[in-house]
Amino acid sequence: MEPAPLASLQEEGEGEPGESPSSAAAAVPPRPATHHSLHKYAPLDWSAYFDEERRVAIPDTEDVFNVYMAGSEGPVVFCLHGGGYSGLSFALAASRMKEKARVVSMDLRGHGKSTTSDDSDLSIETLSSDVIAVLRTLYGDSPPAIILVGHSMGGSVAIHVAAKKVIRNLHGLLVIDVVEGTAMASLIHMQKILANRAQHFPSIEKAIEWSVKGGPLRNIDSARVSIPSTLKYDESRECYTYRTPLEETEKYWKGWYEGLSEKFLSCPVQKVLLLAGTDRLDRALTIGQMQGKFQMVVVRHTGHAIQEDVPEEFASHILNFIARNKIGPNGVEIPGLIKKWQH
């Protein structure tokens, strides 16, 4: 469905479906319609969901990556957002996981509050190297147990990082709603999709409102946390626009997804693919799924951003994965062996 232009958005309480403008005007006295709407779509601060915001400076470079952190026990669930999103895409889910896991959600290059020597370089090689550099800067040569989680473009980055086999103590890979076949087929339409988005917003509240009424999200609370970090203020136009100019990154799109299915299947860790629809498996994944090479979970009643639209269900899938595979803070825990070593 084409995104609705910003001008078409109604204020909350501004008439009902099927009601003519004249009858609505006659039934409802004139009143300022903006107060309730602005309150409903007011930004929410990250600190209600994460415990810490940290700037990770990569040694010997100009690159500084912004990460959000929550929790103090269990394995590290390291989250990578999709193109045009930010680390706060995982905010609501993080608040539901942090009692049993440590959640780290990163603003990728060219997104959120991260700053690099070249924010426009969104090649899969550079994005993957950034993630590896952040993990090494945070944890050195003795990292805790790590589970990589990636949404859309971030799912591709997670797969490439896992496939490099350079992250010590990597115990899981969860990819959210990205399949090579579907992604490659959609690239021809991507510029049109991006061009049809609302491009400029008079306020952050209006951007949040558009994101749930005509944009990619279905959860207002998640949009209130995540959308502000995807925007920047355009002084010349005196309005808000997108922090990440995705339309200028077209030369990298093919590299994000080409060969992704085979690379995913080759990753030597436990794998889960979360999908918003059952018709999205390509041939390689269909065969791999039949062979039991990964677990597929279909999440219903959600859009593309599963972690934002249904954060409770998403968090439960992550925590169930950790429990099922017995992943502790330092790796797989086998009760019999632990008991034996303690004697």
Side-chain angles (χ1 to χ4, degrees):
M1 186 173 71
E2 298 288 346
L6 183 63
S8 70
L9 296 180
Q10 288 183 316
E11 295 288 355
E12 287 297 304
E14 194 178 4
E16 296 294 331
E19 193 173 38
S20 70
S22 58
S23 64
V28 181
R31 61 178 177 82
T34 57
H35 178 73
H36 176 69
S37 180
L38 291 180
H39 177 73
K40 182 175 181 178
Y41 300 105
L44 296 173
D45 193 72
W46 64 265
S47 60
Y49 306 93
F50 287 100
D51 302 329
E52 179 186 357
E53 181 182 36
R54 186 182 299 184
R55 306 284 286 167
V56 180
I58 306 303
D60 304 317
T61 74
E62 300 173 20
D63 303 342
V64 182
F65 293 96
N66 194 66
V67 300
Y68 300 94
M69 313 179 86
S72 58
E73 298 180 353
V76 170
V77 179
F78 198 88
C79 302
L80 305 173
H81 60 79
Y85 294 78
S86 80
L88 293 178
S89 182
F90 293 91
L92 269 65
S95 71
R96 291 162 171 82
M97 291 189 283
K98 66 182 182 180
E99 296 302 319
K100 296 183 178 180
R102 287 171 281 180
V103 183
V104 180
S105 192
M106 171 183 171
D107 286 341
L108 293 169
R109 175 181 295 253
H111 294 75
K113 296 181 182 178
S114 291
T115 57
T116 68
S117 57
D118 184 3
D119 276 2
S120 66
D121 180 6
L122 298 188
S123 66
I124 192 63
E125 295 81 9
T126 298
L127 293 172
S128 302
S129 296
D130 289 343
V131 172
I132 293 168
V134 168
L135 285 167
R136 285 180 172 165
T137 303
L138 284 174
Y139 303 116
D141 293 329
S142 300
I146 293 171
I147 298 159
L148 283 177
V149 177
H151 169 235
S152 197
M153 179 196 78
S156 172
V157 177
I159 290 170
H160 279 79
V161 170
K164 289 179 184 292
K165 305 176 185 177
V166 296
I167 300 300
R168 298 182 62 181
N169 224 4
L170 180 63
H171 287 273
L173 173 64
L174 289 97
V175 176
I176 308 165
D177 212 40
V178 57
V179 169
E180 177 185 349
T182 306
M184 293 296 288
S186 69
L187 290 184
I188 191 172
H189 308 294
M190 193 55 60
Q191 284 291 4
K192 182 179 179 181
I193 293 171
L194 293 174
N196 283 332
R197 300 186 297 176
Q199 301 293 324
H200 305 98
F201 307 96
S203 67
I204 291 177
E205 289 82 359
K206 279 296 182 184
I208 293 170
E209 183 179 2
W210 177 83
S211 74
V212 293
K213 287 189 172 181
L217 303 181
R218 299 183 182 183
N219 185 320
I220 293 176
D221 286 341
S222 189
R224 292 170 69 189
V225 184
S226 68
I227 290 298
S229 61
T230 68
L231 305 171
K232 65 179 181 180
Y233 190 70
D234 186 332
E235 297 283 355
S236 63
R237 293 177 179 265
E238 297 184 338
C239 66
Y240 290 90
T241 188
Y242 298 109
R243 155 77 169 93
T244 309
L246 288 176
E247 65 279 359
E248 298 174 13
T249 66
E250 183 174 4
K251 63 182 177 181
Y252 302 121
W253 296 349
K254 187 177 180 182
W256 293 347
Y257 304 118
E258 192 170 46
L260 197 62
S261 292
E262 292 295 347
K263 198 173 288 288
F264 173 70
L265 294 171
S266 73
C267 292
V269 293
Q270 295 294 319
K271 297 178 285 292
V272 176
L273 178 62
L274 294 176
L275 293 178
T278 53
D279 60 338
R280 302 188 185 188
L281 287 189
D282 57 28
R283 184 174 183 273
L285 289 184
T286 299
I287 295 171
Q289 202 261 337
M290 293 173 66
Q291 294 174 337
K293 292 184 177 179
F294 67 95
Q295 179 191 5
M296 183 181 74
V297 177
V298 178
V299 183
R300 305 193 183 279
H301 311 298
T302 179
H304 178 50
I306 295 171
Q307 74 280 7
E308 297 212 41
D309 291 347
V310 287
E312 299 93 344
E313 184 175 351
F314 173 77
S316 72
H317 286 304
I318 301 290
L319 295 178
N320 287 341
F321 175 85
I322 292 171
R324 186 172 63 253
N325 291 287
K326 299 180 173 62
I327 304 171
N330 299 306
V332 175
E333 295 180 345
I334 304 175
L337 290 179
I338 292 173
K339 186 175 181 180
K340 181 179 179 180
W341 290 340
Q342 287 174 341
H343 279 296

